[in-house]
Amino acid sequence: MYISESLFNTLKHNEEIAGKFREIEASILSILNFKDLCEKLLSEISGKFDIPLVWLSIVDESPISEYMKAIENSDVLRTQTKFVSGNRFQSLIAGSLRPILANEQLDRFSDLYPDRIPFQPGSIAIAPLSLDGRIVGSLNQGDSNPKRFEPGIDTTLLEHLALKLSLCLSNVTAHERLRYLAFHDPLTGLLNRGVMEKILNREYKRSARYGTDLSVIFLDLDDFKSINDAHGHDMGDRALKYTADTLLKLKRDSDIVARFAGDEFVIILPSTGKSRAEQFMARVNEYLSLYPIIMDGQPSEIFVKTSHGCASFMEKIADSAQGLLKKADERLYSAKTKKRNCRKEQRPD
């Protein structure tokens, strides 16, 4: 059968394009972190297809948004990623799961553009990305040529790439969650005990080497069992989460907050003496006394109360990080015992 030279060249061109798509897919399928995945994808598409503008739009409320925003030291993602609200994104793509091509009235898509773009596109391609059936953003391409992404062009290969990228996002998200759980408490989001102990050991050695102070606070919730008994374990979980959020809100950037076990928390305060550590806890307890737990967006009648013990390196009361932590725990126990004794004395005969 005779095939014209024009048709042969077209078929050859299409096969070359398909081959490039396959190469991109192969290069991203084994990547298990967001930074490398996104950087590789954007650079590969730009390089293999000579596309001057390639970027990602990420839905702010999506499961991957938090991971993407946490990426540091990436000029590629800083300049080629745009976060947009879910409502705005849905209004722009009209719920479509298939790639969108446009070369007219492109200003309507400006909310998807990176904050700084080198030129105003003449045409763009928007390929929605999904995670577990939920749209989380889009892979976008732009060119100054209005014909490059002219509506009506076959988008099968781009749609296939978006599908593969969506699968990669699912794999990376699952991997990141597992890695997150290895270091964090799943209820409060705080660092877990194992990570805390490593950090405390590091900070103790730093204090010993440079002669700087270090304070450790061991705290737990007063009458936590009564919260569970009277209001249920869901409220107990809220109390723990509320306490964690309060500690994170009031701490300095250099301070470390971790959930130790049950209703027990540990705060590590580098370069901080005992008096300043006690001042921190005074602020925490004042805040908790003024603001009750929030339920369904409204303040409840349940206030969290805490007891704590504090130990500092310069007190010279421990010769190890674990010894310092144990001393703070002993002081917590003493504080709770003192509170119980005071309550007994205040009870009427």
Side-chain angles (χ1 to χ4, degrees):
M1 184 177 70
Y2 174 74
I3 299 178
S4 68
E5 184 177 354
S6 175
L7 179 57
F8 177 80
N9 290 334
T10 299
L11 292 173
K12 183 179 179 181
H13 177 67
N14 290 342
E15 180 56 33
E16 289 175 352
I17 293 177
K20 291 179 180 179
F21 272 105
R22 288 193 294 270
E23 289 174 2
I24 294 174
E25 291 169 7
S27 70
I28 64 174
L29 282 174
S30 61
I31 298 177
L32 290 176
N33 68 83
F34 280 101
K35 181 176 182 291
D36 292 345
L37 173 65
C38 297
E39 287 185 342
K40 185 71 172 178
L41 174 74
L42 295 175
S43 63
E44 287 280 294
I45 292 176
S46 179
K48 288 186 180 297
F49 293 103
D50 192 26
I51 297 175
L53 184 58
V54 185
W55 79 98
L56 294 167
S57 297
I58 305 297
V59 173
D60 242 328
E61 301 86 349
S62 71
I64 68 172
S65 176
E66 182 179 349
Y67 297 114
M68 294 290 290
K69 289 180 178 179
I71 294 174
E72 299 178 346
N73 304 320
S74 175
D75 290 337
V76 172
L77 295 184
R78 182 173 53 81
T79 59
Q80 293 176 248
T81 304
K82 179 62 180 289
F83 294 91
V84 60
S85 73
N87 289 337
R88 182 57 180 153
F89 188 84
Q90 288 290 350
S91 70
L92 291 172
I93 69 169
S96 175
L97 291 174
R98 303 194 63 181
I100 298 170
L101 305 180
N103 60 2
E104 295 180 352
Q105 300 178 330
L106 298 184
D107 285 347
R108 70 185 190 273
F109 296 107
S110 60
D111 286 345
L112 299 183
Y113 294 173
D115 293 334
R116 295 181 181 179
I117 54 176
F119 60 89
Q120 289 300 318
S123 61
I124 60 174
I126 303 169
L129 304 172
S130 63
L131 179 63
D132 300 328
R134 174 182 174 184
I135 293 180
V136 296
S138 59
L139 168 63
N140 313 302
Q141 302 171 71
D143 198 292
S144 58
N145 182 358
K147 298 285 187 180
R148 183 71 182 266
F149 301 112
E150 186 176 24
I153 294 176
D154 184 13
T155 60
T156 301
L157 292 174
L158 179 57
E159 188 174 354
H160 187 73
L161 176 62
L163 176 61
K164 287 294 180 69
L165 178 55
S166 295
L167 292 174
C168 287
L169 289 175
S170 181
N171 291 336
V172 172
T173 301
H175 182 76
E176 292 283 6
R177 284 173 180 164
L178 287 174
R179 189 169 67 172
Y180 179 87
L181 291 175
F183 298 101
H184 295 80
D185 169 55
L187 174 63
T188 63
L190 297 178
L191 295 174
N192 60 31
R193 177 176 175 175
V195 176
M196 179 277 296
E197 289 177 341
K198 291 179 180 177
I199 293 174
L200 179 57
N201 189 54
R202 180 194 70 197
E203 292 301 326
Y204 186 91
K205 290 180 178 178
R206 193 195 308 272
S207 292
R209 180 181 302 167
Y210 298 107
T212 58
D213 213 342
L214 166 70
S215 290
V216 179
I217 297 171
F218 210 128
L219 73 87
D220 69 6
L221 276 59
D222 293 343
D223 303 318
F224 180 64
K225 184 177 183 300
S226 66
I227 295 178
N228 282 324
D229 292 344
H231 304 282
H233 289 280
D234 286 345
M235 180 54 69
D237 287 348
R238 288 193 186 205
L240 294 173
K241 185 71 168 65
Y242 189 69
T243 303
D245 291 344
T246 300
L247 294 173
L248 289 174
K249 180 184 296 185
L250 298 180
K251 79 175 188 69
R252 303 169 303 177
D253 289 343
S254 58
D255 298 335
I256 302 297
V257 181
R259 184 181 180 190
F260 189 79
D263 64 327
E264 298 174 328
F265 298 85
V266 171
I267 306 105
I268 302 171
L269 301 96
S271 303
T272 303
K274 191 169 183 288
S275 62
R276 286 181 59 194
E278 292 289 359
Q279 290 172 12
F280 168 76
M281 280 309 304
R283 292 196 304 273
V284 169
N285 289 323
E286 181 182 17
Y287 183 94
L288 293 174
S289 70
L290 293 174
Y291 302 101
I293 296 173
I294 302 298
M295 295 177 57
D296 301 323
Q298 299 297 323
S300 69
E301 296 181 357
I302 302 173
F303 290 83
V304 172
K305 296 180 180 180
T306 72
S307 295
H308 72 277
C310 178
S312 297
F313 177 82
M314 287 300 186
E315 292 183 274
K316 306 299 182 183
I317 53 176
D319 57 4
S320 68
Q322 286 302 311
L324 196 63
L325 183 64
K326 182 179 180 181
K327 193 63 181 180
D329 188 19
E330 291 173 356
R331 288 175 174 175
L332 165 62
Y333 180 80
S334 297
K336 294 188 78 68
T337 301
K338 184 177 180 180
K339 279 188 178 181
R340 283 194 294 267
N341 291 337
C342 286
R343 289 173 187 170
K344 289 179 181 178
E345 295 174 0
Q346 293 171 359
R347 289 174 185 169
D349 295 333

